[in-house]
Amino acid sequence: MASNGRFRFYVYSAYVERRTVPAVRVIAATKTRGADPVVCRMWLSDNRTFTLKARVKPIRENWNLKYSATYVLCLLRDTGVKPHETVGASISIAAAVSPNRAPTNLLTVLDTEPKSGIEETLHVCVKPFHFSYSRDEWLMEWFELNRLLGASHFYMYNESLSAPVACLLEHYRKQGLVTLLPWKLPIVSKIEIRTEGQFAAFNDCLYRSMSSAGWLLVIDVDEVILPRRERTLVALLTALRAAYNPPSKAPSAFLFRNAFFYLRWEDDVEAPAPLVTSRKTRRWAAPHALKNRSKYALRPHDAVELGNHFLWELAPGASSVGVPSERALLHHYRIACEYGGMQCLTVPSTVDRTAHRWAEELMQRVSAEKEILSRTCPA
């Protein structure tokens, strides 16, 4: 927490910013309008110390609530410090009225420069788990299907989990598949700030993945994006970009239209496996329009600010486009109608068995993981 201000000001992580302005970009949460002025204090590894001007910028998707996920740009202008020199530095956000007080927060600046050989890697961002998330069996199916689709790492944020889900995530963490980060934001969710401060998490994930992910997929744990032709999302994304000539015109982000697969609709009598994605094949006949509940995949290094259903800002020269639903669709396996009641079950619907393409291999993987977990996680 930044010290001695009038309003709450929480900081979470810090990253090198080379693209928009030479700076250290801090992921934070504070008052949406009229936030306390702050400065950045930075300690480099060579013992140089700087007090930097700070630009506080609310992340745009804040629903006009009192508090918002926020960027703090610690500006390197006029310091003589190059962005790459800040890697590994310690940085603190302090109230401008008392910049020399002992720091109440200290972050290590992480690098964002993409490593070589990562172009075809696919990582996944998920918003914070909350309300003691407990759907462990479904979560295993979700993990294994996304792995079949090419995902190799998952960034997750833990506000609260059930014991079985915590054990499952620890199982995947030990395999190097999951980065599970603590997420306890002392701002009242949905009253003072949008759901669990999720936009701070999304954007932390963006910058955290930037050095190691060629592609980043932003979805919820009740959603999967399934290609209609290709077997993996990486193959789909590669094919979509290859359609552009010259390659420099290829988009850096692709948005996928959403279709609800309500779990209260009947099971598919042709389900090839006892899996949610095999049994639940009835969906909305007409998917949502782009940017309305859509989700997306992006080149992390080409993005500046993420939202829930679309990207708010891309790096200079980068672009995003929608993907035709004939090529891929966001399958949204929703338990309840989005506005309560049962009226949603009467919307025009159709049967879509695309997920059956992966059913046999998915069932094998889920069964194998369950066998392992039966020995390591209590029932």
Side-chain angles (χ1 to χ4, degrees), residues 54-230:
R55 183 188 302 164
V56 179
K57 180 181 180 295
I59 289 172
R60 276 163 272 206
E61 204 157 335
N62 53 58
W63 289 47
N64 291 317
L65 295 176
K66 182 177 181 180
Y67 285 86
S68 174
T70 304
Y71 285 135
V72 180
L73 286 171
C74 300
L75 303 172
L76 299 176
R77 185 176 58 241
D78 301 327
T79 64
V81 177
K82 304 296 184 186
H84 72 270
E85 295 180 273
T86 67
V87 176
S90 297
I91 200 160
S92 175
I93 307 301
V97 296
S98 54
N100 296 317
R101 283 198 173 191
T104 58
N105 58 84
L106 203 60
L107 305 170
T108 299
V109 180
L110 303 178
D111 200 4
T112 53
E113 185 67 16
K115 299 170 185 172
S116 61
I118 66 169
E119 291 77 10
E120 303 306 315
T121 58
L122 175 67
H123 293 182
V124 179
C125 279
V126 175
K127 70 183 181 184
F129 289 111
H130 55 285
F131 296 150
S132 297
Y133 182 85
S134 60
R135 296 182 65 199
D136 54 312
E137 287 204 9
W138 159 250
L139 190 59
M140 180 187 291
E141 180 178 339
W142 179 89
F143 264 115
E144 294 305 321
L145 180 51
N146 276 293
R147 293 177 71 187
L148 284 174
L149 291 166
S152 58
H153 198 80
F154 301 81
Y155 302 90
M156 296 177 154
Y157 299 82
N158 176 18
E159 195 278 330
S160 60
L161 296 169
S162 69
V165 169
C167 191
L168 174 66
L169 293 180
E170 177 63 11
H171 166 71
Y172 284 121
R173 189 195 66 79
K174 287 179 178 177
Q175 297 178 53
L177 294 170
V178 169
T179 295
L180 183 62
L181 298 155
W183 194 259
K184 295 287 186 182
L185 185 61
I187 301 175
V188 182
S189 179
K190 298 185 180 180
I191 296 174
E192 293 185 308
I193 196 168
R194 184 65 178 148
T195 313
E196 311 304 325
Q198 65 183 20
F199 299 107
F202 285 148
N203 285 281
D204 173 77
C205 183
L206 167 65
Y207 288 89
R208 191 174 296 272
S209 68
M210 204 169 278
S211 66
S212 57
W215 288 103
L216 189 64
L217 184 65
V218 180
I219 55 174
D220 289 345
V221 290
D222 58 356
E223 300 169 336
V224 290
I225 295 172
L226 294 184
R228 295 307 192 240
R229 304 175 191 171
E230 294 82 2

Side-chain angles (χ1 to χ4, degrees), residues 252-287:
S252 297
F254 293 95
L255 280 65
F256 299 89
R257 295 175 68 184
N258 172 81
F260 286 129
F261 289 66
Y262 293 120
L263 300 189
R264 289 179 176 173
W265 272 330
E266 77 282 0
D267 284 358
D268 190 336
V269 295
E270 297 183 22
L275 299 164
V276 171
T277 51
S278 292
R279 294 187 295 107
K280 299 301 179 181
T281 55
R282 183 168 295 281
R283 65 162 171 87
W284 275 33

